[in-house]
Amino acid sequence: MSKKMVRCITLLSLCHCTIAAQALDLYQAQQAHAAAIYQRMTLDEKIGQLLLPNYMLLADSAAGCPAAVANPAATTAQLSSACGLTQIAQYHIGAVLMGGGPYFDTPTLAHFTKLNALAADQHRLGSPQDPLLLTGNDAVHGNSHLQGAVIFPHNIGLGVTHNAELVRRIAVLVGQDSLASGFNWVYAPTLAVAQDLRWGRSYESFGQQPSLVKNLGRAAVSGLQNIHQGAITGPIATAKHFIGDGATQYGFDEGDDAYTGSQQAFWHIHGQGYEGALQAHVATIMTSYSAIDDAHSGNDTQMHFGGKWNLVNRLKTTGINGSDGRRYRFSGFVVSDWNGATRAAFFYSLLHPTLSLPEILAKSINAGVDMLMLGASEVRNPFNPHSELLFRTTGDVFVALKTAYQQGLISPARLHDAVTRILAVKLALQPQTPQDYTQLQADERALAYQAATQSLVLLKNTHATLPLDRHKIRHIIFIGPSDDLGLQNGGWTVNWQGQKGNAYFSSPEDQISSGALTLEQGLKRALPQAQVYHLEDRPSEALTADNSVVIATVAEVPYAEYMGDIGNSEALDLWYQQGGASQTNTYLGLPQNTFLGLHFDTAAATAIQQWRARGIPIVTVVYSGRPLVLSDGGLTAPLTQSDALIAAFLPGTLGGKALSAALLGDYRFRSVGSANTLSFPWPATMAQVTEHFVNGALFPIGYGLAD
Ligand code: BGC
Ligand code: BGC
């Protein structure tokens, strides 16, 4: 090796070290600057930094604001007033969010951009020293609140791809899409290592292997934030929901992990995603609603109150020993979840004297929460119907937080720490908004297609039914919801709970195209010569095994968070009360599903029997947020009654195109790396669906057929 080359290599490695060292201190590097800004701030300005109100909490009426935004004739003054944006100036607010909704009839790019720009104007008036207003959004699988956005597979499908580089590239584009709509903060990725599939957020988890969650979590954060030369050029990311959100007893959302083991063992499972996110310099961490061993700890271990082992503060101060021998310490800021501080106080009040609002907020801030997410006016304490409303407006919380500080419940040092952490993140953020949205969406569609193909798992393929021979197919019989984009995309799609049907996937704005195709539309395009039938068409007797195929679809109805929990008889959780066979969620007044599985309905099952008897192949596609029991119910069991079955999870807008390619052999299962293999075990019976899947699995993690 020449001297010159040696010198070059030495320089390169030196250079690499410097970048790594600098990058490790991305936020700390901004601390002195942040502290200087802090010195010049009034107390009110400092308090305002800690508040993160939802847009619809600011608005007087949840309907008035979107209507004003959609009205081209509304003046800036009318808009600011209808949306309550003047409070941003009044309370010196440094961050706002758009919650899950639905809020807008037409949540378009133009509407979001307009609202965020007006909010930024108010922020400049109220907090001229603050470098940036943070605007947050749940872009959890694409810029997914936006009508006409390209939607990617949910995390469970990305887990199936086992493709970290693909996840990183997707996150870069989702970050840019988010910035294009005026959101510079994304509440993703979820780093739950989900244990019990009854949990309604299972699909937000990449999988059940901590190492997979670590790798894909690192990739997602690094793509979203897209750090260049020490600056975050994408939106800031959020590692959520710290920690053990996927380990609650019975899979109850926001429940108790009932975990009594060691901190180290707990971290080695549920902390792995955070190790990955911290390696990628994640700017924010969102605390979970769940608790660790709450029952034994007097309802005081809710994560918004710091959690068992004072885990939130520990990660921020001394740090935590990682599974890889490294020490992980967090220098960004911690944000609470939706009304997290007050919700945690409801549980606390079951065994403790009721706290006042200033006391509740102080408890959360002292437990390590730097910024409080205020979702909606706090509803009454579900455990005490006679309770007062804790707050109605952002102003109520502002006053209570200031009172807490003035009464000494929050120390000057703690306020300094929280505010400077937030400012340091803002100083590190230099977002590069993309200019060409049409090109961005074209790039997104290409990646969403790749991801969708790699996210499918072939669970059954008897007699090599797949791939179908496109030259032979003359007749396709569709059974079930094969033409429904809502089901194909799941929860957190446009609306919080998602929706059924095909509305929202095209946009009134010309240049916008989600590229959405249903399975039925995709196959029709790919096989224009084929005759298409539905169940009610009673297709002719001339159909034969050689020239026909039945494509059956079964799907979970979309859901998000606790709305997707599956009830069970062991659980006497406080949020639920037992009411005969089906439980009622006392908080929502809604009954729960109790069976984690899908069946063909009777008409479909009968027709399938008839086609099968004639040798016509039955290919079933399953849209679901998680593995489900599919082998229950005799003739209505999708797995036993199909010749081939694809678990498609929630593949996104390009899912229909991807499925049709996979059915016809244009994409071959398992042709890319370890793609098309399960990241969760698959159950045979409901008895197997327990917290840790103790009873084995019908298909283990890693299963997936090639074709
Ligand atoms: C969810 C979070 C989400 C937040 C804002 C919460 O209820 O748990 O995942 O980021 O709302 O929509
Ligand atoms: C969700 C929000 C959603 C809200 C609707 C919350 O729990 O996290 O994103 O908008 O409920 O009421």
Side-chain angles (χ1 to χ4, degrees), residues 237-255:
T238 305
K240 74 186 191 184
H241 311 81
F242 190 75
I243 179 182
D245 49 347
T248 56
Q249 240 187 336
Y250 317 116
F252 272 112
D253 192 40
E254 306 185 11

Side-chain angles (χ1 to χ4, degrees), residues 425-437:
V425 165
K426 290 181 174 189
L427 290 166
L429 175 57
Q430 290 166 31
Q432 306 282 313
T433 306
Q435 297 309 312
D436 186 346
Y437 196 74

Side-chain angles (χ1 to χ4, degrees), residues 362-409:
K363 201 164 162 53
S364 215
I365 299 283
N366 290 330
V369 174
D370 300 303
M371 189 186 276
L372 299 157
M373 187 190 290
L374 311 172
S377 299
E378 184 56 278
V379 290
R380 264 170 235 290
N381 181 340
F383 310 128
N384 175 7
H386 307 295
S387 60
E388 295 286 310
L389 282 187
L390 276 171
F391 65 86
R392 280 170 216 279
T393 63
T394 307
D396 294 344
V397 183
F398 177 89
V399 169
L401 194 56
K402 191 171 167 184
T403 306
Y405 180 75
Q406 286 169 332
Q407 290 180 350
L409 300 176

Side-chain angles (χ1 to χ4, degrees), residues 54 97-103 138 145 201 254 289 337-338 343 373 375-376 492 496-497 561-562:
N54 182 24
L97 88 139
M98 178 65 77
Y103 306 118
D138 288 289
H145 278 325
R201 305 193 83 156
E254 306 185 11
Y289 291 121
D337 205 339
W338 188 270
R343 274 201 204 174
M373 187 190 290
W492 292 109
W496 179 39
Q497 295 296 320
E561 303 190 43
Y562 37 89

